[in-house]
Amino acid sequence: MHERTEQTLPFLMTLPVSPREYAFAKITSSTVMFFIPWALLSLAAVGMIAISPTGAGLTPFAAIVLTELLASFCLVLGVAIVTESQAWTIGVMVASNLFLQGFLYYVSHMPSIGGTMSGKVAVWSSTAIGLLAAEFAISAMLLVIVFVLQSRKREFI
């Protein structure tokens, strides 16, 4: 978004790169900058919960919530790259944060997840594994869609 507001996009497009290379570089760099700290912090948080003598039952719920944050990032990144609009990006960011609150409530009240959260042992139900798989699949799908849409652009100005 800053390329448009700082008017550096015309210069960038004079470089010898194709729209596909430009889209790949933009998506890859943004995703890596988020993914590395997210993965380290998520592993540390889930690890601390898992080794806790009293709260290990929260491990699947924590993993689901942290993976939802990854999916939310992918959505916000996609909107920011495709629309190049601060207003749309902020709107989607607010909507995804509000969605997270409802998601937390819904997941914590699922019997196979919420019913085991107070236990001393992590229970990886098929629902928990399915939610994690769906979140990772949605994240990957969003990034692929953004890449396809952005690499098809021919006009960047």
Side-chain angles (χ1 to χ4, degrees):
M1 293 181 314
H2 291 290
E3 293 166 348
R4 190 166 296 282
T5 58
E6 294 174 8
Q7 298 180 355
T8 58
L9 190 58
F11 167 72
L12 288 174
M13 295 319 296
T14 62
L15 299 174
V17 294
S18 70
R20 176 168 279 181
E21 292 168 333
Y22 175 73
F24 180 76
K26 185 177 263 307
I27 294 166
T28 303
S29 63
S30 298
T31 304
V32 168
M33 284 189 291
F34 175 83
F35 186 78
I36 291 173
W38 172 85
L40 292 173
L41 292 172
S42 294
L43 288 173
V46 170
M48 293 301 291
I49 292 169
I51 64 171
S52 169
T54 58
L58 280 173
T59 304
F61 180 71
I64 291 167
V65 170
L66 292 167
T67 308
E68 176 60 30
L69 295 176
L70 173 66
S72 180
F73 165 78
C74 291
L75 176 64
V76 171
L77 175 67
V79 169
I81 289 176
V82 171
T83 66
E84 299 175 4
S85 165
Q86 286 182 336
W88 274 102
T89 304
I90 291 170
V92 169
M93 193 179 302
V94 168
S96 68
N97 286 333
L98 291 173
F99 172 79
L100 179 63
Q101 303 305 313
F103 182 79
L104 290 172
Y105 179 82
Y106 177 72
V107 171
S108 67
H109 284 79
M110 291 176 147
S112 62
I113 296 173
T116 63
M117 286 184 355
S118 60
K120 294 184 180 187
V121 176
V123 178
W124 291 95
S125 66
S126 60
T127 305
I129 293 169
L131 277 171
L132 282 172
E135 288 172 336
F136 280 115
I138 289 169
S139 299
M141 181 186 67
L142 286 169
L143 293 176
V144 168
I145 290 170
V146 170
F147 175 73
V148 168
L149 291 175
Q150 193 67 8
S151 64
R152 289 184 177 178
K153 279 187 179 179
R154 296 293 170 227
E155 180 64 39
F156 290 95
I157 298 175

